[in-house]
Each structure stands twice: as structure tokens, then as C-alpha cells.
Amino acid sequence: MKIVDPSFAIQDDLDRSSLAVRLEACGRICYKSEDKITEDSAIPFVTKVSAHGHNSVLEMAVATFEITCRPERLGELFACQPRFLIIDPLPAGCIVTGSIRAYREMALQHGDNPIVNGILSVLHRKTPYLFESVFPADKVRPREAGLDFRKMSLSEVENMPVDLLRRHRHVGVRFVVNRAVTHELVRHRPCSFLQESQRYCRYSQDKFGNQVTFIKPMFFEKGTAEYSLWQQAMEETERLYLQLLETSTPQAARTVLPNSCKTEIIMYCNLAEWKHIFSLRTTQAAEPSMREIMIPLAAEFRKRYPLL
């Protein structure tokens, strides 16, 4: 077996990548198939994901629009009861941020709404592979007078006033932690998550080193009797798991795996939500393993975004 320390990585590199590259990099964590990423694999991957309705992957990228319209036109957008969209009115219109999943769902339910149609027309032109199945080209309508749509760049979002920046700037973090920590992470709303799947990952394969990986417990010092007991339990768990894989599937064998198992999870949300998460997960009342990872993460966030 293998024992590793918990860790995190803020996904700055993906923030500057295309939507397809970002979605593939996040999506492949579920099956630990990052080795299949090539220069040309992103668009086929996300096209297949979209076609199969794997919507959780499509939550891992957002697009922000500056919309010019008369204030009364915003009522038409709000009447659609848009889910998972962040909308902030401006004197000359509004700013809208949503995930690819959110925009696709709006296409299915409210594609004829003039504002929704305008947003989708821009997205379809830029990334047809993400929207063709829900918003084909023949759905694009002529833009009405007084309506204008502009997709904002990441640098423009980062130069927004603080109150807007907190709401519209989304940041992803890739955690390597134990399963107990992820059970707590996924309670946060509104966030999006993608997690390594024990149902599909077969840890007896060469790419996993033919072994199960566990997170070092912060509760027990190495060399103590308690740590020795923990290590014995993990060794026995691994033995049983690998034995079960000889006659059953990973989804069956995983039933013996404990909370100490290493897992990878991507957590994606806006800065306002990260601020809330840190306010809860770095206090003395927080679970110790959560504090172990969240305190250094919060410090790193505040270096990059002092507004937190």
C-alpha cells in the first residue's frame, strides 16, 4: 500500500485554457484517465460528455457576459427563473455568469427568450460542439434592436469592482484528501464537484501501482501504537480489496474500502462561496483533517485575492 499526505492545487493553469481543455482536464479525474489527454482529445471528449448528458462535468467551466438592454427587458430573463446563473443588473443592462450546464439547460427550457437566445448564439458560434445538441444553428434568431451581448474575458472579470468580482470570478481547486474530508466538502452549496470514482477505478492496475493509496492520518504520530494499529487496518483492507477484485468488479470490491482512502476531488465555485467555506472550515470547531488542508489553502487564496 501507499501512504501520502493531503494536498491541494489551485487550477490557475486551466483558467487560461479553452473551455474544452478545462472540461476535459476536470472530467478525466473521475476515471483517472488523464493519460489519454492529447493535443486533440479535448473537443471529442467534451462532445461525447455532452451527448451522454454527463452534466456534472459541464459545471466545471463558466462564461460571463455583459448584456446591454433596457432595464425592463431584464424582467423577461428573470421570468425564466434561471437556475445556477449569477445575474447582476447594471444601469445599461446586466452581467451574467453561468456554467456550461446552466446555459444548456436554459437552451432546452427557454431558448426562445431574446436574452437567452442572444447568449446562446454567441456560445454556439464560439463552441458549437458544446451546444449543437441542445441549441442547433437554426435556433439562432436575429438580434433585437437594443440588445447586445459580449462575452467577457477572464482579465475583464478580474478587473471588476470587488462586489462583482466575488460573485462572478470562479476558481477550481483540486484536492488530494481522504474520503471523510470529501464527505464534508460536498455539503457546500452552491459548488460543483467532480471526484475520483472508486466504482470505475481498479487499483490493482499498473497505473495505480497495483496498490491502494491512503492518506496519512493527522490524528496519529508515526511510530506510535495508534499509528501502528491504523497501518495494520489499512494493510488488511488492501489485502481484502485486491482479493475481491479477483472475482468481482471494482464497484463491488470498494465496499471494504475505508474513509482513509486517498481520493481526488475538484471543487469549483465563486470567490464569495470560497470566503464562506474558509469562514467555516478553518475555525477551531472545524474537523481537524479539514482544517489541515483548508488553513493553508485559505492563506494561498488570500495572497491571490486579498478581498477575501
Side-chain angles (χ1 to χ4, degrees):
M1 73 180 204
K2 185 177 181 181
I3 301 173
V4 300
D5 291 320
S7 61
F8 64 82
I10 300 174
Q11 296 180 305
D12 292 317
D13 53 337
L14 291 183
D15 288 341
R16 271 73 188 175
S17 303
S18 68
L19 291 177
V21 167
R22 178 178 183 83
L23 291 172
E24 181 189 26
C26 294
R28 287 194 180 277
I29 189 179
C30 299
Y31 311 103
K32 298 304 298 170
S33 60
E34 295 96 328
D35 57 310
K36 295 183 179 180
I37 295 177
T38 68
E39 290 184 1
D40 305 316
S41 61
I43 290 179
F45 176 85
V46 298
T47 301
K48 185 176 181 180
V49 163
S50 300
H52 284 79
H54 295 317
N55 290 329
S56 57
V57 175
L58 302 178
E59 294 177 14
M60 286 289 147
V62 299
T64 299
F65 285 86
E66 182 181 55
I67 300 172
T68 301
C69 66
R70 297 188 307 276
E72 59 267 22
R73 297 303 301 270
L74 289 183
E76 300 174 18
L77 175 61
F78 285 112
C80 296
Q81 296 182 319
R83 298 176 62 200
F84 311 120
L85 292 184
I86 296 172
I87 304 171
D88 278 296
L90 298 175
C94 66
I95 292 177
V96 175
T97 296
S99 68
I100 300 305
R101 175 181 184 172
Y103 289 128
R104 283 172 55 91
E105 290 185 353
M106 288 292 285
L108 291 171
Q109 299 165 9
H110 304 288
D112 291 331
N113 175 278
I115 294 180
V116 174
N117 194 276
I119 293 173
L120 292 167
S121 298
V122 176
L123 289 170
H124 184 277
R125 184 172 68 251
K126 291 178 177 293
T127 54
Y129 51 88
L130 289 172
F131 291 92
E132 187 63 37
S133 61
V134 295
F135 190 78
D138 60 9
K139 290 282 189 179
V140 176
R141 292 167 48 184
R143 187 171 299 176
E144 295 185 9
L147 285 179
D148 191 42
F149 305 87
R150 187 175 68 85
K151 187 176 181 298
M152 300 181 69
S153 67
L154 179 60
S155 61
E156 288 178 307
V157 173
E158 292 192 325
N159 285 319
M160 287 179 173
V162 170
D163 57 333
L164 294 177
L165 176 64
R166 285 195 182 110
R167 286 169 53 76
H168 293 273
R169 177 62 165 104
H170 286 60
V171 179
V173 176
R174 183 172 184 164
F175 293 95
V176 178
V177 290
N178 67 38
R179 287 259 165 181
V181 170
T182 65
H183 293 338
E184 295 200 6
L185 287 177
V186 297
R187 293 172 60 193
H188 285 285
R189 306 290 185 272
C191 296
S192 295
F193 304 93
L194 286 178
Q195 186 170 1
E196 176 182 339
S197 174
Q198 289 182 341
R199 182 184 178 193
Y200 293 104
C201 292
R202 183 182 287 267
Y203 297 123
S204 60
Q205 291 179 328
D206 290 343
K207 68 178 180 179
F208 298 109
N210 314 110
Q211 62 188 333
V212 180
T213 299
F214 301 96
I215 295 293
K216 181 181 177 182
M218 58 92 60
F219 300 98
F220 313 127
E221 287 291 335
K222 194 172 183 178
T224 63
E226 291 86 357
Y227 187 92
S228 179
L229 286 173
W230 173 83
Q231 188 168 351
Q232 289 176 39
M234 297 308 103
E235 289 171 348
E236 179 65 6
T237 292
E238 180 187 53
R239 185 188 70 79
L240 294 172
Y241 170 79
L242 294 175
Q243 182 176 335
L244 284 170
L245 282 180
E246 296 175 3
T247 56
S248 59
T249 62
Q251 69 179 355
R254 68 173 173 164
T255 55
V256 301
L257 294 176
N259 277 339
S260 286
C261 269
K262 163 262 179 186
T263 187
E264 296 182 29
I265 188 169
I266 295 175
M267 189 170 180
Y268 190 54
C269 58
N270 65 15
L271 292 175
E273 184 61 20
W274 278 117
K275 183 178 181 180
H276 174 65
I277 291 166
F278 296 144
S279 73
L280 294 177
R281 300 300 187 177
T282 61
T283 68
Q284 289 294 329
E287 197 274 336
S289 297
M290 181 70 79
R291 295 182 75 245
E292 180 184 27
I293 196 74
M294 281 297 182
I295 288 176
L297 177 60
E300 188 62 35
F301 257 80
R302 289 177 182 125
K303 289 179 185 176
R304 305 180 190 204
Y305 300 99
L307 58 98
L308 292 177

